Amino acid sequence: KTMLSLVSKINQKIIVLASASPRRVELLRNLGLKFEVIPSQFAENLDKSSRTPAQYVMDTARCKALDVHQHHLEADVIIAADTVVVANEQILEKPANEEDAFQMLSALSGQVHHVYTGVAILYKHQAENGEGKIDSIKVDVWNEKTEVEFDQLSADVIRAYIATREPLDKAGSYGIQGIGGCLIRRINGDYFNVVGFPVNSFSNHIVENSQFFN
Amino acid sequence: KTMLSLVSKINQKIIVLASASPRRVELLRNLGLKFEVIPSQFAENLDKSSRTPAQYVMDTARCKALDVHQHHLEADVIIAADTVVVANEQILEKPANEEDAFQMLSALSGQVHHVYTGVAILYKHQAENGEGKIDSIKVDVWNEKTEVEFDQLSADVIRAYIATREPLDKAGSYGIQGIGGCLIRRINGDYFNVVGFPVNSFSNHIVENSQFFN
């Protein structure tokens, strides 16, 4: 069983992507998947102080998938994800404004940080409960971590980058797939995880759960 | 000086990209550069046995840039690049056919290999020779190396991937930016180097040579 050979079977199911991120849409379309985009309404307000970044993104991804499941019981498979940037043990969100972006990029300059993406795949299936078949769900959750090292950035470089407006809607105030890519010295791990969706581990998890596509 | 702040000055020059690769065109456009695409006619037949992979890609990139320079003396800046995939000290080229692609992907399966891109930037400038100004050139050449680790690929996965036809026009028989991305466990280094052009080191080299844009 391979992702590529499964795609046509998967596309016979009702697949929902619980994320409005155009980057995630593009990465999943690249794999050949057909799906509906239904952003979750989950507030993304889980407590960060009591969770590691890995736990935080996994819990958030699961909550997003469950939220969409509750409102769209017709969906056979729901894919949700959450990505955060972690520097000096601090989770960096989207910047509030240009000044905030400047602070974040100054903190990332010349340093190594980590990007965590949590993924949840919710599979609807029929289970036996002794009296017959009932609807059930399985939620497969994991996280992927990638190391990212920024160039030393002068204040001028940071200001010029913010002027492109690319940082303003991105967690950690940068986008690796855009102009931000020229500020990054190297990564260690899955590149697509930094973009927002770990396609390699996703493919492996789908193949491991191929029984849901029979 | 930054790449971003230099872009408008650079775009006042005649810039030529000596490569027909649509991936290189896209990466350079992403940086905001405006340029003409004039593929080099250089035969890419340098001796591999007497060169390390790093020397091979740098020499090939320089020859490509010089070839375009000789036929287009009007160009102010010429950018050339060459990318190879190196596994077990062997340079992997584009596959000759599907069987060849199968052999290459089998060799890469579960292993770490390296991708080398050599880049040459040729700058035309005016130099003093005692009697006055004469046309001169500077060629800045370097290479970038990225480590890539493939998943363990079954024969089925390899066959399914070849059936997408994506491998057939790619050095090493894979494209990281396409479906091939889901076969790659991790990389260490510049992702864009694997796509075919190291945008981070390119930006730094351009900034170091900013005197040519005055």
Side-chain angles (χ1 to χ4, degrees):
Chain A
K1 291 283 198 311
T2 76
M3 181 70 195
L4 289 167
S5 61
L6 276 174
V7 163
S8 58
K9 266 188 168 176
I10 296 171
N11 285 341
Q12 289 168 23
K13 302 283 184 180
I14 301 175
I15 313 286
V16 168
L17 173 63
S19 167
S21 154
R23 298 172 285 277
R24 290 192 185 120
V25 170
E26 194 190 335
L27 288 174
L28 286 169
R29 289 229 172 98
N30 257 352
L31 293 178
L33 293 180
K34 297 203 193 311
F35 50 87
E36 253 189 283
V37 175
I38 305 179
S40 122
Q41 303 301 312
F42 177 66
E44 306 196 31
N45 54 3
L46 296 178
D47 181 38
K48 292 187 182 78
S49 63
S50 61
R51 289 176 171 84
T52 64
Q55 288 166 336
Y56 177 81
V57 292
M58 289 193 289
D59 287 347
T60 300
R62 180 172 35 239
C63 290
K64 287 178 176 177
L66 288 171
D67 175 78
V68 171
H69 170 65
Q70 283 156 7
H71 297 93
H72 298 273
L73 294 172
E74 75 283 5
D76 295 312
V77 178
I78 297 169
I79 302 162
D82 191 54
T83 300
V84 297
V85 171
V86 180
N88 303 317
E89 301 179 24
Q90 272 228 308
I91 292 183
L92 303 182
E93 313 263 5
K94 293 174 188 178
N97 50 43
E98 299 195 9
E99 177 54 29
D100 198 21
F102 189 90
Q103 297 298 336
M104 284 192 205
L105 289 164
S106 302
L108 297 177
S109 167
Q111 304 290 319
V112 167
H113 68 271
H114 293 95
V115 176
Y116 289 83
T117 299
V119 183
I121 312 182
L122 184 150
Y123 299 94
K124 200 174 71 176
H125 63 102
Q126 299 274 303
E128 274 295 341
N129 75 342
E131 297 174 29
K133 299 230 172 206
I134 52 154
D135 274 344
S136 183
I137 61 169
K138 170 182 170 175
V139 188
D140 180 22
V141 183
W142 74 97
N143 80 92
E144 185 81 24
K145 176 183 174 183
T146 302
E147 188 179 287
V148 179
E149 184 184 346
F150 260 76
D151 258 357
Q152 199 75 47
L153 309 178
S154 66
D156 277 359
V157 169
I158 296 178
R159 272 188 225 106
Y161 182 45
I162 291 172
T164 68
R165 313 204 60 76
E166 181 178 283
L168 299 176
D169 66 338
K170 308 278 191 317
S173 302
Y174 73 94
I176 193 173
Q177 69 287 346
I179 303 158
C182 77
L183 309 177
I184 289 166
R185 186 170 294 153
R186 65 169 188 94
I187 71 164
N188 190 357
D190 185 346
Y191 165 79
F192 300 103
N193 192 44
V194 185
V195 177
F197 199 78
V199 291
N200 175 248
S201 59
F202 173 76
S203 303
N204 292 331
H205 278 259
I206 286 281
V207 169
E208 281 161 24
N209 288 282
S210 61
Q211 74 269 20
F212 295 117
F213 302 110
N214 284 331
Chain B
K1 290 282 197 316
T2 76
M3 181 70 194
L4 290 166
S5 62
L6 276 175
V7 163
S8 58
K9 265 189 170 178
I10 296 171
N11 286 341
Q12 289 166 23
K13 301 283 184 181
I14 301 175
I15 313 287
V16 168
L17 173 62
S19 168
S21 154
R23 299 172 284 278
R24 291 194 184 120
V25 171
E26 194 191 335
L27 289 173
L28 285 170
R29 289 230 171 97
N30 257 354
L31 293 178
L33 293 181
K34 297 204 192 311
F35 49 87
E36 253 189 282
V37 176
I38 304 178
S40 122
Q41 303 300 314
F42 177 66
E44 306 196 31
N45 53 3
L46 296 178
D47 182 38
K48 293 186 182 81
S49 62
S50 61
R51 289 174 172 85
T52 65
Q55 288 166 336
Y56 177 81
V57 292
M58 288 193 290
D59 287 348
T60 300
R62 181 173 33 241
C63 289
K64 287 178 175 176
L66 289 171
D67 174 77
V68 171
H69 170 65
Q70 283 157 6
H71 297 95
H72 298 272
L73 294 172
E74 74 283 5
D76 295 312
V77 179
I78 298 169
I79 302 162
D82 191 55
T83 301
V84 297
V85 172
V86 179
N88 303 316
E89 302 181 23
Q90 271 228 306
I91 292 183
L92 303 183
E93 313 263 6
K94 293 175 189 176
N97 50 43
E98 299 195 8
E99 177 53 30
D100 199 21
F102 190 90
Q103 297 298 335
M104 283 192 206
L105 289 164
S106 302
L108 297 177
S109 168
Q111 304 290 318
V112 167
H113 68 272
H114 294 94
V115 176
Y116 290 83
T117 299
V119 183
I121 311 181
L122 184 149
Y123 300 94
K124 199 174 70 177
H125 63 101
Q126 299 273 303
E128 274 295 341
N129 76 342
E131 297 175 27
K133 300 229 173 206
I134 53 155
D135 274 343
S136 183
I137 60 169
K138 171 182 169 173
V139 188
D140 179 22
V141 184
W142 74 97
N143 80 92
E144 185 80 25
K145 175 182 173 182
T146 302
E147 187 178 287
V148 179
E149 183 183 346
F150 259 76
D151 258 358
Q152 199 74 48
L153 310 178
S154 66
D156 277 358
V157 169
I158 296 177
R159 273 187 225 106
Y161 182 44
I162 292 172
T164 68
R165 314 204 59 76
E166 181 177 284
L168 299 176
D169 66 337
K170 308 277 191 317
S173 302
Y174 74 93
I176 193 172
Q177 70 287 347
I179 303 159
C182 77
L183 310 177
I184 289 166
R185 187 171 293 153
R186 65 172 187 91
I187 71 163
N188 190 356
D190 184 345
Y191 165 79
F192 300 103
N193 192 44
V194 185
V195 177
F197 199 78
V199 291
N200 173 249
S201 59
F202 173 76
S203 303
N204 292 332
H205 278 258
I206 286 281
V207 169
E208 282 161 23
N209 288 282
S210 60
Q211 74 270 20
F212 295 117
F213 302 111
N214 283 330

